[in-house]
C-alpha cells in the first residue's frame, strides 16, 4: 500500500501508514515533481516534495525476440489441452492449449475462452480473436505477456529451447486470429496468424490428437 519511512541518525526506521490525503505528480520533459500531503493512521500530518528524474520499473513493453516474420515448424508437436472450467468474470470456459516440441523446434501456448460447455465435448470449433478487454471473453484469446518473473503467459510463440526446456525465442500474440476445428474424434486442426509487439507476423498450423485434462472444480460450474 502507501506508507512513509523515516530514518533517524542511528539508522532506525519509523513507519507511517497513510490513511488519507493527496499525492500530485507532474512531469515536464524527463523531470517529475511529486508533492504529498498525507495523514497517517495515527493522525499525524506528513508533507513531502520531490523534483528530479524517476526510474520507472516494470513498464510493459515489447519483448518479442523476432526480428522478421516467422512461420512455426510444428510438425511432430505434441498437443495437450487443460480445461479450467467456467469463471464468472470471463463469462465462459477457460482452456489452456499447448503445442510443444516432440521432434519439432517450435512450440505454441494459448489461453482461450469459450461459451460454457462440457469438458467431454472438447474445445469448441471457432475463430478466436484477441481479448478486447483486460480479460478474454467467449470467442477470444488472452494476448501474450511476460510477467515480472520473466515467465510467459497468454498466447505466445516459444522456440529455440535450451536443454532444460527454457525457450530462448518467443513472441506474444497481440493481433490476429486463432482458428480451431474440433473434428469430434479427439483430433483438431489448429491454424493461426498473429502480429507480435514489434510489428512482426508469426503463423503456423498443426493437426493431430489432443491430450485432454480436466483441471476444473465442480463448484465453479454455472447453475441453471
Amino acid at each position: 500500500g502507501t506508507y512513509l519511512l523515516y530514518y533517524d541518525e542511528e539508522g532506525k526506521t519509523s513507519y507511517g501508514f497513510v490513511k488519507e490525503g493527496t499525492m500530485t505528480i507532474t512531469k515536464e520533459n524527463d523531470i517529475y515533481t511529486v508533492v504529498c500531503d498525507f495523514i497517517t493512521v495515527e493522525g499525524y500530518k506528513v508533507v513531502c516534495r520531490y523534483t528530479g528524474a524517476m526510474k520507472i520499473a516494470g513498464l510493459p513493453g515489447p519483448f518479442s525476440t523476432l526480428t522478421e516474420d516467422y512461420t512455426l515448424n510444428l510438425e511432430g508437436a505434441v498437443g495437450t489441452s487443460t480445461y479450467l472450467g467456467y469463471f464468472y468474470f470471463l463469462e465462459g470456459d477457460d482452456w489452456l492449449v499447448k503445442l510443444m516440441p516432440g521432434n519439432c523446434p517450435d512450440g505454441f501456448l494459448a489461453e482461450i475462452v469459450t461459451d460454457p460447455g462440457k469438458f467431454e465435448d472438447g474445445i469448441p470449433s471457432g475463430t478466436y480473436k484477441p481479448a478486447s478487454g483486460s480479460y478474454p471473453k467467449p470467442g477470444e484469446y488472452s494476448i501474450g505477456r511476460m510477467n515480472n518473473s520473466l515467465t510467459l503467459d497468454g498466447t505466445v510463440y516459444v522456440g529455440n529451447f535450451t536443454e532444460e526446456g527454457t525457450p530462448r525465442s518467443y513472441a506474444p500474440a497481440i493481433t490476429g486470429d486463432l482458428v480451431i476445428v474440433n473434428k469430434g474424434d479427439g483430433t483438431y486442426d489448429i491454424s493461426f496468424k498473429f502480429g507480435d509487439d514489434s510489428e512482426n507476423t508469426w503463423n503456423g498450423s498443426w493437426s493431430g490428437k489432443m491430450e485432454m485434462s480436466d483441471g476444473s472444480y465442480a463448484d465453479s460450474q454455472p447453475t441453471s
Side-chain angles (χ1 to χ4, degrees):
T2 303
Y3 58 94
L4 312 163
L5 298 92
Y6 172 74
Y7 303 92
D8 64 18
E9 295 179 354
E10 297 179 356
K12 295 181 180 179
T13 306
S14 300
Y15 293 87
F17 295 96
V18 175
K19 179 181 180 182
E20 57 184 283
T22 61
M23 178 172 65
T24 303
I25 300 176
T26 57
K27 179 175 181 286
E28 183 175 354
N29 297 323
D30 292 327
I31 301 300
Y32 288 84
T33 298
V34 182
V35 179
C36 302
D37 188 348
F38 292 135
I39 303 296
T40 69
V41 293
E42 295 84 7
Y44 296 115
K45 180 181 178 67
V46 180
V47 297
C48 61
R49 180 185 179 92
Y50 168 82
T51 299
M54 186 179 297
K55 183 178 180 180
I56 310 298
L59 284 177
F63 65 87
S64 175
T65 62
L66 294 178
T67 58
E68 59 185 0
D69 296 346
Y70 185 69
T71 298
L72 275 63
N73 180 353
L74 296 171
E75 185 175 355
V78 177
T80 62
S81 181
T82 302
Y83 173 69
L84 298 181
Y86 180 85
F87 292 91
Y88 288 98
F89 69 94
L90 298 180
E91 301 177 9
D93 289 345
D94 196 33
W95 291 83
L96 303 179
V97 179
K98 294 183 179 181
L99 303 176
M100 296 301 286
N103 299 318
C104 66
D106 296 324
F108 169 69
L109 311 174
E111 179 183 7
I112 65 173
V113 176
T114 69
D115 289 324
K118 297 179 180 179
F119 165 71
E120 293 78 11
D121 295 333
I123 305 170
S125 297
T127 299
Y128 295 86
K129 303 286 185 178
S132 54
S134 299
Y135 299 98
K137 301 297 183 184
E140 297 180 340
Y141 62 83
S142 178
I143 64 173
R145 56 194 182 275
M146 178 179 283
N147 295 322
N148 290 337
S149 59
L150 302 183
T151 57
L152 300 168
D153 286 325
T155 304
V156 293
Y157 147 68
V158 287
N160 191 22
F161 294 88
T162 66
E163 293 183 357
E164 293 76 23
T166 301
R168 289 174 290 198
S169 298
Y170 35 78
I174 303 297
T175 62
D177 294 343
L178 167 63
V179 180
I180 297 179
V181 178
N182 183 339
K183 295 184 176 181
D185 59 358
T187 63
Y188 292 82
D189 290 337
I190 296 177
S191 60
F192 48 83
K193 184 176 182 180
F194 297 122
D196 69 2
D197 55 4
S198 298
E199 299 184 357
N200 300 303
T201 297
W202 55 280
N203 65 87
S205 61
W206 176 87
S207 296
K209 186 176 179 62
M210 187 83 69
E211 180 181 338
M212 315 292 287
S213 62
D214 186 355
S216 64
Y217 297 94
D219 59 3
S220 70
Q221 304 304 304
T223 57
S224 57

